[in-house]
Amino acid sequence: MALVLPGLALPHLQVAEALAALGPTPRAALGDLLGVSGTESARGLDEALGTLADHALVWPDGEGLLRMAAPLRQAWQTPLGLDAPLARLLADMTSEELRRMLVALGVRTTGNTKQQRLTALVDHHSDAERVAEVVAGAPAVTRELLERLAGHETEQPESQTEFTILGAPGVPLSDSEPGARWALERGLLVQDHRRYGATRMPAEVALALRGADWHAPFEPVPPSVRSTPVTPAEADQEAAAAATAFAAHAASVLAVCSASPPTRLKSGGVGAREMSRIGKAAQCDDIVVRLALETAYHAGLLARDGSQVAATKGYDAWAQREPAEQLTALLQAWRTLPLTPAQARDEDGKVLPAIAGSPPCEGCAQARDGLLTAAAHLPAGQGAKSAAELGPLVAWYRPLADQLPQDSTPFATLAREAELLGVVGRGALSCIGAALQADDVEALAAACQRLLPTATRAARFGADLTAVVTGTPSAQLASLLDTVADREAGGTASVWRFSPGSVRRALDAGRTPEAIAADLAAVAVGALPQPLTYLINDTARSHGRMRVTSAASVIHGEEPALLAELAAHRKLAGLGLRLLAPTVLVSRIPLDKTVAALRAAGYAPVAESADGTVRVEQNRHRRAATPVPHPRAPGGTSSRQGTSARTKGSLAAVDVGALAAKLQAAPPVAPEPDPASGIPFGTDTEEIVAGHARLLSLTDVRQLAHAIDKGQDVTIEYVAASGSRTVRTLSELDLDPPYLYAWCHLRDDERVFTLSRIHGVMPA
């Protein structure tokens, strides 16, 4: 059931909700409630019933009634804002209470059994005209109360395309409410016979009060979208340009991550600062960086490596492939992502990290499926004015899909993702999108091969010290240019610029000026420009004119022969001595260890301070701490002697066999409570919480485990995925390691908390 419902369209859920409100009913009665009139709405009802029947959710029985699966009925606590039928609400009433209701209504019954009286009362309330007649004769305050209650539960969302599961039935109302007693005496309102709990309005009464003109919401036709004529060739052409640019940008982003792995936040994920660094180096926007990181991580090209996110061995093979093959792997990952990768902010407007390891979002996957379905059902030869206008269609095809809090237009971020990936072009589904919608891997690979050009293996070098590569550069070409030049732009055409600093970077990596010039000439269209050749040679002439070496300590003296002897001494080979000048040696070992090694070899060096003066060594005498005296034994005997004597006496007096039998016969001992808090030690829940919430102290672990076991409220200090700290009070705790599901009083909503991000626990 949980797998079927998210994939149903809005009219399917509306029909199911109406049937859940009516119970087993003929098709005609269902159509009347939904306001079906006309061929189009009747066809929509038949199509919805057929879809529900295909999933074994609704079926006709032998009596001409439509019945539904019991679990589907439980999806709504108050379908259409209606409470349970009268027969169910009055099931616990006594026969005498039912008789008094019939007398108050002026209804006579031939039988005196409870079932006969209940049947007569249900028959009366099922007649909307008779209920309206009774209400018309009620006191004015009662009529206002009944109309208010019937209208209170039928409030609809502003957008009819929104689908919500309503809250718990009934309203808090006592029988002392003005007008309530009159309605309770006639069964127009029902309360527990012990006068306990909420007052509930039977479904028959609510429908009668709403009137014959009221109908349940039913939208069998999808909303209209502003469209424009688009041919498949035009859509593919637009998609090809976008897909080519994204493939090049993704290759650049992953190349940056391979060369300089981004550092993860303490709370997990790649933060905004690291993404900004990657975007600047790869010359692309934040949304492209997020999209590339998330799809690459899901495709196995990136992985968490301690405090960093590093490229995997799979990335090395991926980088050598053609752009079409690279994009195919990323598109397959995007299709199955359990999140919306371009989501940059949470419901509080705080920036979210990428690759944060958030709980799976089934609604996000349904939104992606709804976008592909909506674009696929556009009229042939038509496309939306803009991809963002597909949002209402997505909400109609997948009403249970999650919308991002950062979107001012429904599903705008998701539509932008589809445009960047080439899934949608000019508001219509491209051949790439059609293959994704059909979940056909072979068709997806063929579409990418057709739309994306092969990798470019040559560059055009200009006299302005730039290199331009049209299309997507091959991995070898991009690596060569990244080594010798700085990338300035990317996309359908990439631009690199040479400078003394970039050429020096290549020389520092061990390349010679001759090798640099030869490698660039091998990939150049034509001869290398003279300014570029001059730049390489001029930079090489000044490269290495001075050298910097590292030394842990320096040995110098006035006798070159002595220092030459030290450098050749076999026993001092471990010092790594190197002669820089006739009177200067450098050692790779720190000063104190170098001095000790020289003295062990028979030499007499002295150590110098940082200012060049001789360091005077002073011997420091080590002294032990004052020992703590042993505690005195009773009676003046020393502790050690008394203990020994008592131990020998005890062992002689104890019967070991009797002690073992006594221990075996003893009942199991329950965990003792903590004297300070009264919470038991060592419960199973405590072990589970301690295994995941490693930042909590032992006391906090016990406090949280006790609240989970006893169903108590608790206050926690929580570090969100964005790194911000909040203090939240939680109720209805449900442990599902490594997550904690609870009702958050701060957000007034059910939230999911990661145990490892809980940094403190306090009583509520």
Side-chain angles (χ1 to χ4, degrees):
M1 188 70 62
L3 299 177
V4 174
L5 280 181
L8 296 178
L10 181 62
H12 306 155
L13 293 173
Q14 289 174 334
V15 170
E17 184 180 7
L19 189 57
L22 292 177
T25 186
R27 182 192 179 285
L30 179 63
D32 291 341
L33 179 62
L34 294 171
V36 174
S37 60
T39 306
E40 191 172 20
S41 58
R43 188 186 302 113
L45 177 58
D46 292 337
E47 190 275 334
L49 289 174
T51 301
L52 294 173
D54 291 341
H55 290 93
L57 299 177
V58 174
W59 63 90
D61 63 4
E63 301 176 358
L65 301 179
L66 293 173
R67 297 184 178 273
M68 70 188 312
L72 179 59
R73 169 62 181 82
Q74 297 171 1
W76 297 273
Q77 290 183 326
T78 57
L80 299 179
L82 298 175
D83 210 323
L86 186 65
R88 191 186 308 171
L89 295 180
L90 295 180
D92 293 336
M93 292 291 179
T94 64
S95 179
E96 176 60 24
E97 288 173 322
L98 296 175
R99 184 192 68 80
R100 288 199 295 265
M101 290 182 184
L102 291 171
V103 171
L105 290 169
V107 178
R108 295 185 179 182
T109 178
T110 56
N112 293 325
T113 65
K114 175 182 176 180
Q115 185 59 43
Q116 290 171 332
R117 290 171 177 172
L118 179 59
T119 302
L121 194 58
V122 170
D123 290 342
H124 179 274
H125 281 12
S126 298
D127 188 340
E129 294 183 358
R130 297 171 70 181
V131 172
E133 183 179 351
V134 173
V135 174
V141 64
T142 301
R143 288 198 304 273
E144 293 176 0
L145 174 64
L146 294 175
E147 291 172 358
R148 175 168 59 85
L149 293 180
H152 166 75
E153 297 185 11
T154 60
E155 294 179 357
Q156 297 294 331
E158 295 181 2
S159 172
Q160 288 298 313
T161 58
E162 293 182 7
F163 180 79
T164 57
I165 296 179
L166 302 180
V171 293
L173 184 70
S174 66
D175 56 0
S176 60
E177 180 89 7
R181 181 175 295 277
W182 193 94
L184 289 168
E185 291 174 350
R186 289 158 177 80
L188 300 175
L189 294 177
V190 178
Q191 196 178 33
D192 185 88
H193 67 279
R194 294 181 295 273
R195 295 295 185 264
Y196 176 79
T199 300
R200 307 171 70 175
M201 176 176 285
E204 298 88 341
V205 176
L207 287 174
L209 291 175
R210 294 175 186 180
D213 296 334
W214 182 87
H215 299 290
F218 184 52
E219 300 178 40
V221 181
S224 59
V225 177
R226 293 189 306 164
S227 61
T228 182
V230 176
T231 64
E234 292 173 336
D236 288 346
Q237 183 179 7
E238 184 80 12
T244 302
F246 177 77
H249 282 143
S252 300
V253 168
L254 297 187
V256 172
C257 294
S258 175
S260 178
T263 303
R264 298 174 58 205
L265 299 172
K266 290 184 178 180
S267 58
V270 180
R273 180 175 298 177
E274 281 291 275
M275 284 190 287
S276 177
R277 176 184 68 83
I278 296 171
K280 184 177 181 181
Q283 295 295 317
C284 54
D285 298 333
D286 177 74
I287 186 173
V288 177
V289 175
R290 287 180 178 273
L291 195 54
L293 289 178
E294 293 287 3
T295 53
Y297 179 78
H298 194 65
L301 307 180
L302 297 176
R304 298 186 181 96
D305 185 18
S307 61
Q308 295 179 326
V309 176
T312 64
K313 293 182 179 179
Y315 164 75
D316 297 328
W318 178 87
Q320 302 301 321
R321 297 176 184 172
E322 289 292 327
E325 297 175 322
Q326 293 177 344
L327 182 63
T328 300
L330 298 181
L331 285 171
Q332 286 179 282
W334 179 77
R335 183 66 177 88
T336 57
L337 270 176
L339 71 157
T340 302
Q343 181 179 0
R345 297 185 178 275
D346 59 10
E347 60 274 8
D348 298 326
K350 297 179 180 178
V351 178
L352 291 175
I355 318 179
S358 302
C361 173
E362 181 63 27
C364 297
Q366 291 299 330
R368 192 176 302 110
D369 186 61
L371 176 67
L372 295 173
T373 303
H377 282 81
L378 289 174
Q382 296 290 321
K385 281 282 188 182
S386 67
E389 295 191 15
L390 292 173
L393 273 181
V394 177
W396 188 87
Y397 281 104
R398 296 294 183 270
L400 295 182
D402 285 355
Q403 299 187 29
L404 301 185
Q406 69 187 35
D407 288 342
S408 56
T409 302
F411 304 105
T413 300
L414 179 62
R416 179 59 180 152
E417 286 184 8
E419 285 184 317
L420 290 172
L421 293 169
V423 175
V424 173
R426 297 190 63 179
L429 207 62
S430 67
C431 59
I432 292 178
L436 286 175
Q437 201 268 335
D439 200 12
D440 190 338
V441 178
E442 294 182 359
L444 177 61
C448 291
Q449 289 285 355
R450 182 163 65 88
L451 294 188
L452 270 69
T454 58
T456 304
R457 291 175 171 79
R460 294 184 180 274
F461 295 90
D464 58 348
L465 300 179
T466 60
V468 180
V469 179
T470 57
T472 303
S474 65
Q476 294 81 1
L477 179 58
S479 176
L480 172 61
L481 294 178
D482 284 337
T483 303
V484 189
D486 297 317
R487 190 188 296 253
E488 282 193 341
T492 54
S494 302
V495 179
W496 281 264
R497 181 171 295 279
F498 296 88
S499 66
S502 65
V503 175
R504 184 171 59 249
R505 186 172 65 236
L507 295 172
D508 291 339
R511 304 175 71 92
T512 64
E514 294 78 11
I516 294 174
D519 291 342
L520 294 179
V523 298
V525 178
L528 288 181
Q530 194 176 52
L532 178 57
T533 304
Y534 285 169
L535 174 65
I536 296 173
N537 294 331
D538 290 344
T539 306
R541 276 194 294 269
S542 62
H543 186 262
R545 293 175 62 184
M546 64 183 69
R547 298 187 178 187
V548 180
T549 186
S550 60
S553 57
V554 178
I555 305 172
H556 64 93
E558 297 180 357
E559 303 178 27
L562 176 60
L563 295 186
E565 177 185 337
L566 295 179
H569 204 299
R570 292 184 178 182
K571 291 185 178 181
L572 300 177
L575 298 180
L577 299 177
R578 187 158 64 95
L579 196 64
L580 294 184
T583 58
V584 178
L585 279 173
V586 292
S587 170
R588 65 187 179 192
I589 304 301
L591 185 146
D592 291 338
K593 292 184 178 180
T594 299
V595 171
L598 291 173
R599 288 174 177 172
Y603 297 95
V606 294
E608 283 188 353
S609 301
D611 57 0
T613 60
V614 176
R615 190 178 68 184
V616 178
E617 299 181 3
Q618 296 180 353
N619 293 328
R620 297 182 179 272
H621 301 285
R622 182 176 177 179
R623 296 292 183 266
T626 303
V628 178
H630 295 287
R632 295 182 180 179
T637 308
S638 67
S639 171
R640 186 174 301 174
Q641 294 174 350
T643 302
S644 176
R646 288 195 303 272
T647 302
K648 291 180 180 179
S650 299
L651 291 176
V654 172
D655 186 349
V656 179
L659 178 60
K662 184 177 180 181
L663 290 174
Q664 291 179 348
V669 181
E672 296 183 1
D674 187 348
S677 61
I679 300 175
F681 293 104
T683 63
D684 292 340
T685 306
E686 180 182 325
E687 296 295 332
I688 295 173
V689 172
H692 293 86
R694 299 184 181 275
L695 298 178
L696 293 181
S697 64
L698 180 59
T699 303
D700 288 350
V701 168
R702 289 175 180 164
Q703 185 75 33
L704 182 58
H706 183 69
I708 294 172
D709 291 335
K710 299 300 182 181
Q712 297 177 352
D713 294 0
V714 69
T715 299
I716 66 171
E717 181 184 359
Y718 189 71
V719 178
S722 59
S724 62
R725 293 177 178 265
T726 56
V727 177
R728 306 178 181 226
T729 299
L730 310 181
S731 303
E732 304 175 16
L733 306 181
D734 184 10
L735 181 63
D736 185 11
Y739 304 113
L740 178 66
Y741 294 79
W743 181 269
C744 178
H745 291 264
L746 179 63
R747 306 301 180 203
D748 196 21
D749 192 8
E750 186 177 4
R751 294 297 171 92
V752 183
F753 300 91
T754 305
L755 290 173
S756 60
R757 293 177 179 166
I758 300 178
H759 286 213
V761 181
M762 299 161 283

